[in-house]
């Protein structure tokens, strides 16, 4: 046990030092010589202070990201090796008679422990964003969102974990396939209810108050054969200075949403370009392609997890005080493997997402025929979020679901509308 703990802490420390060296000293974020002085060069649209802050802020936030992911793995490893998971299982069995109540009790203690141990990094991340004036959310409001996250996730986990272990106990060899089959309607249900039930827990949504702008956006939607009665605005200015717009939900619950910070900072042409971009996602059915890709990855992931879980319990179950994959105490193994597989698959899913985002950009350029508004909107997004225009390679492949701002501004500036 001491060896496992020592090696885990040592590997995490070495990894952290390497990432810090890579982000602050090793990676090259300079603009290519041929793009110096172009609209993609941040020196043409940022002042010296913004340039300095964007580099500092991006490096710190990227470091926190790369530290937080393996830190989660470290937590689950220690919970297993020290025997905490087995102890929570024993508590749950003593505290309740029925299986679902035992699951709820076990999940509460595990979720609370992970939340408490993860809190310092979350707190640092929040304060960094506040220091650089990206986050303007009060501590009270931030803590409220954290509590909502905890209870929403806890409620969902009771349902998911309860069903998962019922399947494992019924069919130890093929539970992964049955779990995948059930995940399909469950995922669809969550995507359907998220815009109307989950999202409003965090923010206020309402139809766009600028009716003249809404009319123009709906005219664009009509030209693209998109059935839309409203564009939604969300009150984000109480929490952040960043800009965003997105498509969420499926079917009749689909929504195009604009942050109010975007409305305050961008001009009408820039907003229309962003809306055309979101319409591009709808027209090219990216949300359904994303669902299909998610389901394929889930199927493969659950199969891999089933094999690794059985192997890990056979090899180290005596250390974890877990004798079978049917034991609820094996859940940290499941969560650990999900996190690792998700991180490993990020470069692939992000690459697909970047391709879709570029397609949506090009669609918006075709629809608006306004390169100037597109370029200026990307420049404003960079300034508002203090994001690096040309991030390091590892940051791009693991964190960027959009093309880099260097790429977006360059191909947008060079775009020529195709002749019909």
């Amino acid at each position: 046990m001491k060896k496992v703990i020592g090696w885990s802490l040592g590997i995490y420390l070495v990894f952290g030092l390497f990432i810090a060296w890579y982000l602050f000293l090793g990676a090259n974020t300079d603009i290519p010589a041929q793009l110096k002085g172009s609209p993609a060069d941040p020196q043409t649209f940022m002042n010296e202070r913004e340039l300095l802050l964007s580099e500092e802020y991006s490096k710190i936030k990227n470091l926190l990201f790369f530290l937080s992911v393996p830190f989660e793995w470290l937590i689950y490893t220690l919970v297993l090796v020290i025997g905490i998971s087995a102890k929570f299982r024993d508590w749950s069995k003593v505290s309740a008679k029925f299986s679902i109540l035992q699951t709820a009790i076990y999940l509460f203690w595990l979720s609370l422990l992970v939340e408490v141990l993860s809190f310092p990094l979350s707190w640092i991340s929040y304060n960094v964003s506040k220091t650089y004036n990206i986050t303007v959310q009060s501590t009270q409001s931030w803590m409220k969102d954290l509590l909502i996250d905890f209870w929403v996730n806890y409620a969902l986990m009771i349902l998911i974990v309860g069903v998962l272990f019922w399947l494992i106990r019924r069919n130890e060899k093929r539970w992964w396939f049955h779990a995948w089959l059930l995940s399909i309607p469950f995922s669809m249900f969550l995507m359907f209810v998220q815009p109307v039930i989950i999202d409003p827990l965090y923010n206020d949504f309402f139809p766009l108050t600028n009716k003249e702008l809404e009319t123009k956006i709906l005219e664009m939607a009509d030209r693209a054969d998109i059935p839309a009665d409203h564009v939604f605005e969300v009150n984000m200015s109480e929490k952040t200075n960043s800009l965003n717009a997105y498509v969420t939900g499926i079917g009749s619950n689909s929504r195009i949403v604009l942050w109010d910070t975007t409305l305050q900072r961008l001009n009408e042409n820039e907003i229309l370009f962003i809306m055309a971009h979101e319409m591009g996602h709808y027209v090219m059915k990216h949300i359904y392609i994303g669902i299909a890709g998610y389901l394929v990855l889930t199927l493969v992931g659950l199969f891999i997890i089933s094999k690794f879980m059985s192997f890990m319990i056979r090899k180290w179950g005596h250390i974890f005080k877990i004798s079978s994959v049917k034991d609820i105490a094996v859940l940290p193994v499941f969560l650990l493997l999900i996190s690792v597989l998700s991180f490993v698959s990020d470069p692939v899913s992000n690459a697909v997402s970047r391709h879709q985002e570029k397609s949506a950009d090009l669609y918006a350029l075709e629809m608006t025929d306004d390169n100037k508004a597109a370029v200026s909107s990307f420049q404003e997004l960079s300034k508002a979020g203090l994001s690096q225009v040309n991030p390091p390679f590892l940051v791009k492949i693991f964190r960027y679901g959009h093309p880099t701002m260097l790429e977006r501004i360059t191909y947008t500036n060079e775009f020529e509308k195709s002749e019909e």
Side-chain angles (χ1 to χ4, degrees):
M1 183 176 72
K2 290 180 179 179
K3 286 183 179 180
V4 173
I5 294 173
W7 275 102
S8 299
L9 293 173
I11 291 171
Y12 182 72
L13 178 61
V14 171
F15 173 79
L17 291 173
F18 166 75
I19 286 296
W21 169 84
Y22 174 77
L23 293 174
F24 287 88
L25 298 173
N28 181 15
T29 59
D30 292 340
I31 303 300
Q34 66 271 23
L35 294 178
K36 293 284 187 180
S38 74
D41 184 350
Q43 293 193 8
T44 65
F45 61 88
M46 288 187 184
N47 58 41
E48 288 188 14
R49 184 174 182 274
E50 289 170 334
L51 286 169
L52 177 64
L53 292 179
S54 67
E55 283 295 311
E56 288 180 354
Y57 177 73
S58 295
K59 289 175 180 177
I60 295 172
K61 291 293 283 188
N62 289 331
L63 177 63
L64 289 172
F65 167 79
F66 282 109
L67 290 179
S68 64
V69 174
F71 186 69
E72 182 182 19
W73 307 345
L74 183 64
I75 290 173
Y76 290 134
T77 300
L78 296 181
V79 163
L80 288 163
V81 172
I82 296 174
I84 296 175
S85 183
K87 180 65 69 175
F88 288 164
R89 174 204 59 208
D90 295 340
W91 287 355
S92 69
K93 287 185 175 181
V94 170
S95 303
K97 180 179 179 181
F98 298 105
S99 177
I100 188 62
L101 291 178
Q102 292 173 1
T103 299
I105 293 168
Y106 172 87
L107 278 173
F108 175 78
W109 289 114
L110 180 64
S111 300
L112 183 62
L113 177 64
V114 172
E115 188 70 35
V116 169
L117 294 177
S118 302
F119 181 80
L121 279 177
S122 299
W123 176 250
I124 291 170
S125 181
Y126 162 70
N127 278 282
V128 167
S129 294
K130 198 164 186 178
T131 298
Y132 284 85
N133 204 35
I134 301 299
T135 293
V136 294
Q137 187 176 16
S138 68
T139 302
Q140 181 180 0
S141 174
W142 180 77
M143 289 294 296
K144 177 186 174 184
D145 282 353
L146 209 64
L147 286 172
I148 292 173
D149 269 340
F150 177 84
W151 289 113
V152 168
N153 291 333
Y154 175 63
L156 289 173
M157 285 291 284
I158 291 175
L159 176 61
I160 294 169
V161 173
V163 172
L164 177 67
F165 277 89
W166 176 75
L167 291 172
I168 292 174
R169 288 160 187 161
R170 281 178 61 89
N171 193 332
E172 190 173 336
K173 291 185 177 180
R174 293 183 61 81
W175 65 265
W176 58 273
F177 183 70
H178 298 132
W180 176 74
L181 288 177
L182 287 176
S183 76
I184 298 173
F186 183 71
S187 299
M188 294 294 186
F189 173 75
L190 282 183
M191 294 191 72
F192 187 79
V193 302
Q194 180 176 337
V196 294
I197 295 179
I198 299 176
D199 289 347
L201 293 173
Y202 299 88
N203 300 101
D204 296 324
F205 291 78
F206 42 87
L208 189 61
T209 53
N210 185 337
K211 295 305 176 184
E212 183 179 343
L213 176 60
E214 184 179 45
T215 298
K216 293 181 180 180
I217 293 172
L218 293 177
E219 286 174 353
M220 289 173 59
D222 184 60
R223 280 162 43 203
D225 295 323
I226 298 174
D229 297 322
H230 296 289
V231 177
F232 286 87
E233 180 180 342
V234 56
N235 180 20
M236 291 297 296
S237 56
E238 294 180 353
K239 296 182 178 181
T240 182
N241 285 321
S242 296
L243 314 181
N244 199 13
Y246 59 91
V247 177
T248 186
I250 57 174
S252 60
N253 277 11
S254 295
R255 287 184 174 183
I256 298 176
V257 180
L258 269 167
W259 287 12
D260 62 342
T261 50
T262 304
L263 293 165
Q264 294 163 10
R265 186 150 177 170
L266 300 187
N267 63 42
E268 184 176 281
N269 288 338
E270 292 166 342
I271 292 171
L272 290 175
F273 169 78
I274 288 175
M275 286 292 92
H277 170 99
E278 300 304 334
M279 292 174 193
H281 286 304
Y282 183 95
V283 170
M284 290 180 277
K285 296 180 171 53
H286 286 165
I287 191 167
Y288 297 103
I289 295 171
I291 292 171
Y294 166 78
L295 292 175
V296 170
L297 287 175
T298 301
L299 177 62
V300 175
L302 285 172
F303 173 75
I304 293 173
I305 287 170
S306 71
K307 299 302 180 183
F308 271 90
M309 274 178 61
S310 298
F311 169 78
M312 290 174 71
I313 296 307
R314 284 197 306 269
K315 190 170 181 64
W316 299 301
H318 63 287
I319 297 177
F320 304 157
K321 298 182 177 63
I322 302 170
S323 59
S324 168
V325 295
K326 297 178 181 180
D327 188 338
I328 187 73
V330 82
L331 182 62
V333 176
F334 182 84
L335 297 175
L336 170 64
L337 292 171
I338 283 182
S339 183
V340 171
L341 289 176
S342 176
F343 184 74
V344 170
S345 66
D346 275 348
V348 175
S349 56
N350 283 339
V352 172
S353 177
R354 288 195 297 270
H355 173 75
Q356 292 180 337
E357 294 296 338
K358 182 175 181 179
S359 298
D361 284 341
L362 298 178
Y363 176 90
L365 287 166
E366 287 280 356
M367 174 174 272
T368 63
D369 193 22
D370 194 345
N371 303 56
K372 183 178 179 181
V375 168
S376 59
S377 67
F378 291 143
Q379 291 174 337
E380 285 298 321
L381 284 168
S382 298
K383 292 168 66 176
L386 291 180
S387 56
Q388 289 173 308
V389 172
N390 188 30
F393 176 72
L394 290 180
V395 173
K396 175 183 173 179
I397 65 172
F398 280 103
R399 297 207 67 190
Y400 274 53
H402 291 71
T404 66
M405 285 303 180
L406 178 73
E407 294 166 339
R408 298 182 88 176
I409 294 173
T410 299
Y411 65 65
T412 297
N413 189 52
E414 297 172 351
F415 176 83
E416 293 182 8
K417 188 173 182 178
S418 60
E419 297 295 331
E420 298 183 359

